């Protein structure tokens, strides 16, 4: 766990649909009409009313996010973020992924959420290299939090131990005191 200003950041091996936080982030696609992976799991757990609200949103651009209610989920809100498909790294993937984390925190802050949970956006079906994605996620969240002071808790929900180890490693690395100048 890492504390930054008044916010705690932690990684957990958990199904994000079970988390009782103010907002969970969905790794959606530009249609916002559901899909596989965590998107499918969130829609199954939230029920049809989530799809009905998504149908009113007119889709979402890659790198952006849109907020809905959580319906049957324990979470009050779902923030549907659209990560980039990995196409080798020269198509703006890094900036688009960072933008997902930034926009999600901004939307959560505007909706007065105190706690938010992220999946590893783009790291499944969209094939973003996981080590890079985790570094981008952490760096962007830490960079954005000073402008979203409403947020007190950030959870990185990992579906497996390998992803958890990546987040733990990155959280520890950022927690380490700076080395002494030589
Ligand atoms: N809780 C937490 N993490 C999960 C869960 C869960 N219930 N289920 C999967 N993951 P992916 P993407 C992890 O493929 O790469 C959909 O069809 C998973 O192990 O869900 O952004 C959308 O509609 C991986 O680490 O999202 C889009 O078309 C991470 O969540 C497309 O997939 C993201 O994997 C988006 O692909």
């Amino acid at each position: 766990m890492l504390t930054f200003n008044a916010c705690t950041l932690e990684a957990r091996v958990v199904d994000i649909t079970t988390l009782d936080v103010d907002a969970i982030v969905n790794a959606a696609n530009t249609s916002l009409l559901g899909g596989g992976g965590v998107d499918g799991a969130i829609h199954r757990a939230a029920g049809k009313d989530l799809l009905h609200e998504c149908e009113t949103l007119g889709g979402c651009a890659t790198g952006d996010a849109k907020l809905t209610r959580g319906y049957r989920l324990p979470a009050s809100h779902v923030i549907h973020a659209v990560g980039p498909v990995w196409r080798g790294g020269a198509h703006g993937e890094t900036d688009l992924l960072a933008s997902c984390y930034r926009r999600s925190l901004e939307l959560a802050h505007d909706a007065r959420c105190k706690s938010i949970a992220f999946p590893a956006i783009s790291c499944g079906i969209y094939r973003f290299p996981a080590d890079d994605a985790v570094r981008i996620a952490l760096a962007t969240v830490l960079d954005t939090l000073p402008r979203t002071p409403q947020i007190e808790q950030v959870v990185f929900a990992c579906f497996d131990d390998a992803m958890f180890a990546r987040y733990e490693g990155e959280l520890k690395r950022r927690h380490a005191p700076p080395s002494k100048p030589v």
Side-chain angles (χ1 to χ4, degrees):
M1 187 186 292
L2 176 67
T3 306
F4 180 79
N5 295 342
C7 184
T8 62
L9 294 85
E10 62 177 308
R12 281 192 222 164
V13 180
V14 69
D15 177 347
I16 201 168
T17 64
T18 67
L19 289 177
D20 185 5
V21 287
D22 295 328
I24 61 170
V25 176
N26 182 15
N29 59 61
T30 54
S31 79
L32 298 186
L33 299 180
V38 71
D39 194 5
I42 287 173
H43 275 272
R44 276 193 300 280
K48 280 281 171 213
D49 289 336
L50 176 62
L51 180 60
H52 294 149
E53 184 173 355
C54 285
E55 284 168 350
T56 69
L57 298 177
C60 182
T62 302
D64 203 356
K66 291 193 178 175
L67 180 134
T68 65
R69 291 166 55 196
Y71 299 97
R72 291 191 340 223
L73 290 163
S76 312
H77 300 90
V78 180
I79 295 172
H80 306 263
V82 183
V85 178
W86 180 258
R87 292 195 288 146
H91 294 83
E93 291 95 328
T94 295
D95 289 347
L96 289 166
L97 186 63
S99 176
C100 286
Y101 285 92
R102 191 164 48 245
R103 288 293 299 133
S104 296
L105 285 173
E106 288 168 355
L107 287 176
H109 175 79
D110 291 349
R112 300 187 176 282
C113 297
K114 289 187 162 61
S115 52
I116 182 169
F118 287 97
I121 300 169
S122 286
C123 289
I125 293 163
Y126 283 179
R127 303 183 318 275
F128 205 108
D131 288 333
D132 293 338
V134 167
R135 272 195 294 275
I136 294 163
L138 251 296
T140 308
V141 168
L142 289 171
D143 192 47
T144 307
L145 280 173
R147 290 182 285 106
T148 57
Q150 193 85 27
I151 311 286
E152 295 173 358
Q153 185 189 17
V154 177
V155 177
F156 295 101
C158 305
F159 213 42
D160 55 44
D161 292 339
M163 190 59 79
F164 176 76
R166 289 188 184 95
Y167 275 101
E168 277 290 279
E170 191 62 13
L171 285 164
K172 285 205 181 92
R173 196 178 69 78
R174 290 185 171 269
H175 194 60
S179 52
K180 288 189 186 134
V182 280

